[in-house]
Amino acid sequence: MMKKKYFFCTSTVFCFFTLGSSDFHHITLTENYTQAKSYCRDMYTDLATIYNLEDMNNLVSLASNITENTWIGLEIGAVWMWHWSLPGQLTDFFKWKSGEVITNNQEECAALDQFGGWFVSACGVLRKFVCQGTHTGDFIFVNESKSWWDAQSHCRGLPSDLVSIHSEAENMAVLNVSASQTVWIGLFKDPWKWSDGSNSSFRFWRASQPSYLSNQDCVAAVFQDNGKWNKQSCSNQLNFVCHGEGNMILIQENMTWIEALSYCRKHYFDLVDIKTKNIQDQVAQKAKNATSSYVWLGLRYTVQFNFWFWIRSTSSCYQNWLPGEGPQRDYGSAVSGAMEATGGQQWVGLPETEKLNFICNTCAG
């Protein structure tokens, strides 16, 4: 069942909304593509994957008043692959005409000739085309000559998409509806891949894109152009969109550190650990809603060795201690790490018998 859309801003850092069956989070920090991907993988699942035009239209309506463009999770790959323009379709049937030469590293689109054979063509050639109908086996012949990309836009405006073909019978039906004329079909080849490994074939390029200029290996949605996609240098600093549920939760119950640890491990995964500034920022956002002055973290102190460590044994150089706390201080008794719920939201050592709210990781990440 399709979820309804929800939208709210919790701070100047990110906004959240639900699209279709995926959770999208618009992050208003400015980062290069690699940093944005790292943030999304730390905080959520990955940079956003777009599956269809409905996702894209909702994204435009919700984010276009916030920013001019954002990173999405599409990046250049090493392998050029064939896809159907209509999302979610397997490339399980081909009908290349005899002697057709398929190049490996070049953008190409596919057309159907007057005998039903397929051939590759530059996507900018003007041809008539066939759109997918609203029902299985229903095809729409369009007697106008357009480039492959313009033909795709025309079909999506019906709303539909360029036709996909999965059997000899479907191929013959498309040939018949086209009156044995040469037409575009919805097959195209490109090297783009999604950061999270998804196989979405949905593309929403601006006019003249993708241009395959050197050093432009990442993709942004440009809201000044209805959210259409543009190749950019991965070093550019942009807002970005993550997807997936957040991987941490604030528990607004007061427990000792040991009780909090047991609770997280029983109901979720573990007490939260903070390995990067990005995670610190996310934990800080959660902590602002605490009903205690501090929140427990998965940080513990060993009296014997005067040493602080994360309970998940994750090594990290990142620290955010309040001055005079942490390694600078010999506590001399059993303490564990907590974060200030407000103010600078730095870390302190507190007696582990104190009862505080706490933050759990909901999954390993």
Side-chain angles (χ1 to χ4, degrees), residues 258-283:
I258 293 294
E259 290 170 342
L261 176 67
S262 298
Y263 184 97
C264 288
R265 289 182 171 177
K266 179 178 180 180
H267 297 283
Y268 297 101
F269 179 70
D270 215 329
L271 273 170
V272 71
D273 57 349
I274 301 177
K275 297 174 286 187
T276 67
K277 178 64 164 59
N278 287 340
I279 299 176
Q280 164 70 24
D281 292 342
Q282 186 74 350
V283 173

Side-chain angles (χ1 to χ4, degrees), residues 218-270:
C218 300
V219 175
V222 181
F223 295 113
Q224 297 156 307
D225 192 8
N226 298 314
K228 290 193 174 181
W229 302 351
N230 195 62
K231 285 181 55 186
Q232 298 209 19
S233 167
C234 301
S235 63
N236 289 352
Q237 302 279 321
L238 303 177
N239 294 174
F240 50 98
V241 179
C242 305
H243 78 89
E245 295 183 3
N247 62 0
M248 60 186 69
I249 185 171
L250 170 68
I251 307 300
Q252 292 177 312
E253 298 182 38
N254 290 328
M255 298 187 187
T256 68
W257 189 88
I258 293 294
E259 290 170 342
L261 176 67
S262 298
Y263 184 97
C264 288
R265 289 182 171 177
K266 179 178 180 180
H267 297 283
Y268 297 101
F269 179 70
D270 215 329

Side-chain angles (χ1 to χ4, degrees), residues 107 192 205-214 216 230-231:
E107 180 187 76
W192 298 97
W205 296 109
R206 300 182 77 183
S208 77
Q209 290 287 325
S211 59
Y212 297 103
L213 298 175
S214 60
Q216 292 188 357
N230 195 62
K231 285 181 55 186

Side-chain angles (χ1 to χ4, degrees), residues 135-185:
H135 304 289
T136 302
D138 183 17
F139 308 112
I140 303 167
F141 171 63
V142 180
N143 193 29
E144 298 179 46
S145 295
K146 297 178 181 287
S147 70
W148 189 94
W149 295 108
D150 287 343
Q152 180 192 58
S153 295
H154 181 103
C155 291
R156 287 179 174 175
L158 293 179
S160 180
D161 212 314
L162 280 167
V163 68
S164 58
I165 301 172
H166 301 280
S167 68
E168 186 68 53
E170 287 185 357
N171 196 69
M172 184 58 66
V174 173
L175 178 64
N176 290 337
V177 79
S178 65
S180 298
Q181 299 182 67
T182 298
V183 292
W184 286 124
I185 59 175

Side-chain angles (χ1 to χ4, degrees), residues 62-122:
L62 293 170
S64 59
N65 292 329
I66 302 171
T67 188
E68 294 182 355
N69 47 42
T70 65
W71 290 126
I72 59 173
L74 196 62
E75 60 190 58
I76 201 81
V79 179
W80 292 70
M81 298 181 62
W82 288 102
H83 310 275
W84 289 109
S85 174
L86 183 65
Q89 303 297 302
L90 297 175
T91 48
D92 53 359
F93 175 81
F94 294 95
K95 186 68 174 179
W96 300 116
K97 67 181 185 180
S98 178
E100 187 65 12
V101 177
I102 312 296
T103 58
N104 292 324
N105 298 317
Q106 182 176 328
E107 180 187 76
E108 293 173 322
C109 296
L112 180 144
D113 69 15
Q114 65 270 35
F115 304 109
W118 301 359
F119 63 97
V120 296
S121 171

